[in-house]
Amino acid sequence: MRVSAQLLPEFAKRPTMHDAIYLDNAATTRTDPAIAAQLAEDSLRHYANPASTHRAGLAARRRLEQARETIAERLPGYRVVFTASGTEAIHLAIRGAFGVRPRRRRVLVSAVEHPAVLRAAEALVPLGAEVETIAVDAAGRVDTERLEARLAEVGEQVAVCAVMAVQNELGTIEPLERVRALLARHAPQAFFFVDAVQALGKIVFDPETIGAHAYAFASHKIHGPKGMGCLAVREPVHLAPLLTGGGQEFGLRSGTPDVPGACGFATAFVEAFDHAARHVRHLESLRAQLAEGIARIEPGAVVHGPGEPGGCSPSILSVAFPGRRGEQVQHALEAEGLYCSTGSACHSAERKPGHVLRAVGMDPVLAEGTVRFGLSWTNTEAEIERALEIIAAALPRVPARATIA
Amino acid sequence: MTGADLLLVRFAEIGIKRGNRKRFTRALADRIRETTEAFGAVRSVRPTHSRILVELDPDAPAVARRRVLERLTDTPGVHTVSPAHRVAADMEALAAAVADRAEQIVARRNPATFRITCSRSDKRFPLTSDEIARELGGAVLARCPGLRVQLKGADLEIGVEIATLQHAYVYAERLPGPGGVPVGTAGGVVHLLSGGFDSPVAGSLLQVRGCELTPIYFHSFPLVGDAAREKVIDLARILSRRQRRMQLGVVGFTEVQTTLRDRCPADLLVVLYRRMMLRVADAIAERLGFDAVSTGDALSQVASQTLPNLRTIQAVCSRPVLRPLLACNKEQIIDTSRRLGMFEISARRADDCCSLFVPRHPRTRARIEHAERAERGLDIPALVAQCLERTEWIELSCGRVCEPEDAPRA
């Protein structure tokens, strides 16, 4: 679905944001220029409603179904339901699965889940849910021993269990196969949900082997269009919809589908999924370059998350500059043209250490000094080199210990 | 399948067709090449005496490699397929490979019994097949002490083929294909395709018997909406996965139907529609040089499928009318439809031209002279010519529509 270069508007050929270096790809990514152009073209040419039975509608429907097929053939055994965001996919899975399991009331979520998961679970409390969090170790990994002990007690009552694939603030890769095995043994009726938003294209993971009941994905994290997500649900699908109305998306998500968005998402999905192994190699080398450079600049800097190879997604480098405030570091870097974030930008209005850093029991001084770099496979070695120059120049300007009471 | 170097394809009936063996093998290799080319995961397709070796590209994405395997298990002429690893043809390497494979499978699905099946293409290999199997079986037992040997009906069969003195293949699965003979070896047929359940299944059966399909669909726009046409295109896409190229003819049938409605008895309409369809199919087969036409008729299923009506319908066609579903029950048809992924498409709601203007009780015993009397006064050749002229040809290849045919109606 590549578009010829002449279709690209002039601005798309230039780098974005005044040549700044964008290392906040875990927050969101730049839409691939070819996908953006395709999106514009589709919006103008294939605008019919895919539910219409005239030829233009049928053509739109075919495009939508082709996009769905493209994603689904990479997830054998799963049905793809398009949503307007990762968050919506998460809510559909958790609330939808709880809704069809009236006799089971327990919802287990890892302590480091994205707020979308935590809030979706909380929304079930008035409906009788008992929400429990699963503790994690200092690296952010689900404590499977404690999970097993808990499942041995209440496994029969578990309706939904949610563990993410890659932790969005730390990059921790969660032991999903182990969780799956524990659920199979102690809670075979439970719906196992995996938030895979940060995993797609950034680690090599095989949804079939993990065998969860559903995975949520978001398009904007992989250079696809904004406002697009999907839930891949294992067949046979049994979920209660959140949105009802026209009965689109197999009755699971009413609302006129975004056909151009779905096509753009599918294109981005292919690039992310099919070339994950290559992306990982590239990301690992960038991450190592960045981490080593930072260690040279600031020997006291502490990298969070699992240290062993393969324990952490190479797309995320969460690092603390002890004695400094992460926010000030972020702004100082920004002033020099390097974008990153403190913790997770999705909800960075919070001032105190977020739930993730608290869950891993992080020293408040380290938590306060934490900055997250989000790498994409589109980043280059030269960009990391430049980023390190910026860090070296900007860091001394951030007051150390200034705000520690 | 993970990480397989190649796929070992065993052919079905090709093995027994002595005189034609080479032709069939080559045709099968060609079909495999053509229908997997788009996935970009196949390095080479090499026919040998008893196998076709499909070499996979190790750098291709897993999804592409899996799709090649899926395609092969649906390729007519394929008896079984085994994803295999290439191993050096010495006993040490083989023992390690076989034991590794067994260990992986034990971890995954916990079989109780196993066997080693060995064959040698190169008989110069110093051990006999039995000796090899026994020694490798020992290696498996040493690694997986929980397993027992069982020669008949083992839970796990690990196959070893000594291909040359240099290398051998190890596999642990035999996935069944549809059997039959390669598409195209029987010739072409014009196939009457609708959006229903039967005709797509009939087409798929004929492909397994070597027919290359040119489906035609009778479309009565605007009496019937394009959703019906869309269904047929989707069904043809599935059939086209087995063919390098497929032409789907969408025949403009509106005028024929309205003419017949205006001038003929209503209770004969279904039979008359079907006679017109066969005439058109016969004419297209004539042009294409094909020897047969085919339909999804099943005996006694609907009014047009009684023996007297089939006879009256067939009388207008100079070619044999192949009806592979003639003696099939609906359940069998639906099973196949599901297996090929056609069921959900056929189950979509859309209008159908055969029911247009038809009374509740159509004639079940229309004799040829009834039909001929009803057609008297119609310019049949002109109507057929008009249908041919109003046929839109849609090109499909390997499951995809080739032309951008979503342009607005001209």
Side-chain angles (χ1 to χ4, degrees):
Chain A
M1 214 193 265
R2 292 281 134 177
V3 209
S4 64
Q6 66 197 22
L7 267 173
L8 294 181
E10 203 43 45
F11 61 80
K13 296 171 194 161
R14 293 200 307 268
T16 49
M17 301 184 196
H18 318 290
D19 301 319
I21 293 172
Y22 185 76
L23 296 185
D24 197 15
N25 290 291
T28 193
T29 57
R30 182 191 192 215
T31 308
D32 180 280
I35 292 176
Q38 185 73 55
L39 206 56
E41 193 188 339
D42 282 3
S43 307
L44 299 173
R45 286 186 48 191
H46 304 288
Y47 49 82
N49 189 322
S52 296
T53 55
H54 46 66
R55 194 170 281 201
L58 293 166
R61 186 176 157 280
R62 176 176 307 165
R63 297 178 74 82
L64 178 68
E65 293 312 315
Q66 258 168 20
R68 192 192 312 284
E69 233 173 75
T70 300
I71 297 176
E73 73 193 10
R74 287 163 171 77
L75 311 165
Y78 289 81
R79 177 174 294 187
V80 171
V81 180
F82 286 117
T83 60
S85 64
T87 295
E88 189 197 330
I90 288 167
H91 277 251
L92 174 58
I94 293 179
R95 297 163 73 173
F98 185 81
V100 295
R101 284 170 173 71
R103 289 207 303 281
R104 296 186 167 75
R105 300 285 84 181
R106 247 170 241 273
V107 176
L108 267 48
V109 295
S110 93
V112 292
E113 289 301 296
H114 189 277
V117 171
L118 300 177
R119 299 295 98 78
E122 279 164 23
L124 298 171
V125 171
L127 303 175
E130 290 179 51
V131 179
E132 290 183 29
T133 51
I134 312 166
V136 296
D137 66 13
R141 235 178 331 228
V142 160
D143 185 337
T144 48
E145 277 171 33
R146 279 163 76 174
L147 173 63
E148 180 161 28
R150 195 66 191 128
L151 283 175
E153 285 170 48
V154 299
E156 269 302 297
Q157 306 160 23
V158 176
V160 180
C161 176
V163 179
M164 66 206 321
V166 169
Q167 212 295 319
N168 55 305
E169 293 184 33
L170 301 170
T172 312
I173 298 175
E174 297 294 344
L176 297 179
E177 284 187 52
R178 178 78 186 125
V179 173
R180 164 85 187 126
L182 294 179
L183 288 170
R185 190 176 321 145
H186 299 289
Q189 304 301 322
F191 188 89
F192 180 28
F193 167 69
V194 171
D195 164 6
V197 167
Q198 291 289 354
L200 188 53
K202 294 160 187 176
I203 62 169
V204 175
F205 83 117
D206 179 5
E208 231 180 329
T209 313
I210 294 164
H213 289 90
Y215 299 91
F217 300 104
S219 158
H220 73 101
K221 305 280 194 203
I222 54 165
H223 303 279
K226 316 288 181 192
M228 211 50 221
C230 77
L231 185 70
V233 200
R234 197 160 79 199
E235 305 270 12
V237 178
H238 190 39
L239 280 183
L242 298 179
L243 302 178
T244 50
Q248 290 90 344
E249 301 290 307
F250 318 102
L252 291 172
R253 200 272 180 186
S254 287
T256 299
D258 176 354
V259 178
C263 293
F265 184 18
T267 306
F269 197 102
V270 169
E271 173 60 28
F273 191 89
D274 289 8
H275 305 296
R278 198 178 68 209
H279 296 328
V280 167
R281 283 195 298 275
H282 180 57
L283 287 167
E284 274 171 352
S285 122
L286 295 183
R287 187 177 187 271
Q289 185 192 353
L290 184 59
E292 284 158 20
I294 288 174
R296 270 198 309 276
I297 296 163
E298 176 93 347
V302 178
V303 172
H304 302 317
E308 76 277 5
C312 193
S313 166
S315 61
I316 290 176
L317 182 70
S318 173
V319 54
F321 297 99
R324 292 192 167 84
R325 267 184 57 192
E327 267 174 39
Q328 292 178 345
V329 174
Q330 181 205 309
H331 295 316
L333 298 179
E334 178 191 345
E336 302 290 325
L338 169 61
Y339 291 100
C340 64
S341 69
T342 52
S344 161
C346 300
H347 46 100
S348 60
E350 299 169 28
R351 280 293 296 268
K352 56 180 193 208
H355 72 286
V356 174
L357 301 188
R358 272 182 283 139
V360 298
M362 192 177 292
D363 177 333
V365 175
L366 288 186
E368 177 146 48
T370 295
V371 166
R372 180 188 67 173
F373 297 98
L375 306 176
S376 162
W377 53 84
T378 58
N379 286 128
T380 62
E381 199 180 313
E383 283 181 312
I384 303 296
E385 211 44 60
R386 177 78 193 114
L388 287 167
E389 286 169 21
I390 293 174
I391 295 170
L395 212 52
R397 274 178 242 146
V398 181
R401 298 250 163 222
T403 60
I404 307 290
Chain B
M1 158 93 203
T2 36
D5 301 315
L6 76 168
L7 304 171
L8 290 180
V9 178
R10 301 174 192 85
F11 8 99
E13 295 167 44
I14 301 175
I16 53 175
K17 295 200 168 50
R18 289 184 168 273
N20 284 323
R21 184 188 182 111
K22 248 213 171 106
R23 185 167 77 87
F24 279 105
T25 322
R26 209 175 296 146
L28 181 56
D30 285 346
R31 288 308 89 76
I32 291 174
R33 250 178 237 122
E34 293 158 3
T35 57
T36 59
E37 195 186 356
F39 306 139
V42 171
R43 264 206 184 149
S44 69
V45 177
R46 275 182 299 131
T48 68
H49 177 73
S50 56
R51 303 269 182 271
I52 291 176
L53 303 179
V54 179
E55 189 100 21
L56 295 173
D57 179 351
D59 298 325
V63 54
R65 298 151 58 87
R66 188 172 56 225
R67 287 175 77 189
V68 171
L69 180 63
E70 270 169 20
R71 188 86 314 275
L72 289 185
T73 55
D74 183 51
T75 299
V78 171
H79 178 53
T80 55
V81 188
S82 293
H85 290 264
R86 193 191 307 277
V87 179
D90 69 71
M91 289 308 289
E92 209 171 301
L94 279 171
V98 167
D100 282 350
R101 213 69 199 91
E103 202 170 43
Q104 284 166 15
I105 291 165
V106 166
R108 227 175 32 215
R109 60 179 165 94
N110 204 23
T113 58
F114 83 106
R115 67 163 293 166
I116 305 274
T117 306
C118 181
S119 66
R120 294 176 304 159
S121 296
D122 196 322
K123 306 287 185 203
R124 287 173 302 169
F125 195 80
L127 302 178
T128 67
S129 293
D130 271 356
E131 288 165 346
I132 298 170
R134 217 167 302 138
E135 193 171 329
L136 296 181
V140 170
L141 286 173
R143 189 85 73 83
C144 310
L147 280 176
R148 268 183 307 111
V149 175
Q150 182 173 318
L151 294 185
K152 259 201 176 136
D155 300 332
L156 162 64
E157 180 194 351
I158 296 183
V160 176
E161 296 199 357
I162 312 286
T164 67
L165 280 182
Q166 281 74 45
H167 61 264
Y169 307 121
V170 173
Y171 61 88
E173 275 176 303
R174 274 173 201 262
L175 305 161
V181 295
V183 169
T185 52
V189 298
V190 173
H191 181 62
L192 270 60
L193 184 65
S194 74
F197 292 101
D198 299 354
S199 57
V201 170
S204 77
L205 295 181
L206 289 169
Q207 286 179 316
V208 175
R209 297 316 304 163
C211 296
E212 186 172 40
L213 303 181
T214 295
I216 57 172
Y217 159 64
F218 292 85
H219 193 41
S220 291
F221 189 83
L223 306 176
V224 169
D226 274 339
R229 171 180 173 277
E230 193 72 14
K231 272 175 83 173
V232 174
I233 293 174
D234 284 347
L235 291 165
R237 280 174 52 204
I238 292 188
L239 292 169
S240 79
R241 294 192 298 212
R242 292 173 169 175
Q243 301 187 187
R244 183 179 59 85
R245 186 165 169 277
M246 175 184 275
Q247 298 275 7
L248 165 66
V250 178
V251 182
F253 206 49
T254 321
E255 193 138 335
V256 169
Q257 289 202 281
T258 48
T259 306
L260 293 172
R261 174 199 60 187
D262 293 344
R263 317 220 349 221
C264 304
D267 63 346
L268 276 177
L269 278 179
V270 178
V271 168
L272 299 180
Y273 292 162
R274 302 290 292 175
R275 279 163 67 92
M276 283 307 299
M277 290 176 184
L278 277 190
R279 286 187 181 108
V280 172
D282 204 28
I284 292 175
E286 177 71 35
R287 275 194 192 178
L288 297 174
F290 292 172
D291 293 320
V293 302
S294 53
T295 75
D297 288 321
L299 193 57
S300 311
Q301 194 177 233
V302 296
S304 64
Q305 295 167 345
T306 61
L307 280 179
N309 281 355
L310 285 178
R311 178 183 175 209
T312 303
I313 291 164
Q314 173 140 14
V316 298
C317 187
S318 69
R319 288 173 171 70
V321 180
L322 309 180
R323 297 182 172 95
L325 300 184
L326 204 66
C328 286
N329 296 331
K330 199 72 181 180
E331 304 85 79
Q332 292 171 277
I333 298 171
I334 296 291
D335 277 355
T336 313
S337 172
R338 277 190 205 282
R339 197 160 41 72
L340 293 174
M342 294 166 160
F343 181 84
E344 294 205 336
I345 301 170
S346 294
R348 282 196 324 236
R349 270 181 49 117
D351 308 318
D352 172 35
C353 76
C354 284
S355 55
L356 282 178
F357 321 127
V358 169
R360 256 235 296 249
H361 297 291
R363 193 89 70 89
T364 54
R365 297 175 160 275
R367 293 219 303 275
I368 294 177
E369 52 273 30
H370 296 153
E372 283 174 349
R373 199 178 312 135
E375 285 169 352
R376 205 171 292 155
L378 296 176
D379 187 350
I380 299 282
L383 285 173
V384 171
Q386 191 193 69
C387 283
L388 296 184
E389 202 179 294
R390 294 184 185 171
T391 299
E392 168 199 14
W393 288 101
I394 297 172
E395 184 161 343
L396 302 139
S397 172
C398 306
R400 290 201 169 273
V401 175
C402 297
E403 286 145 318
E405 56 81 51
D406 35 61
R409 188 179 286 274

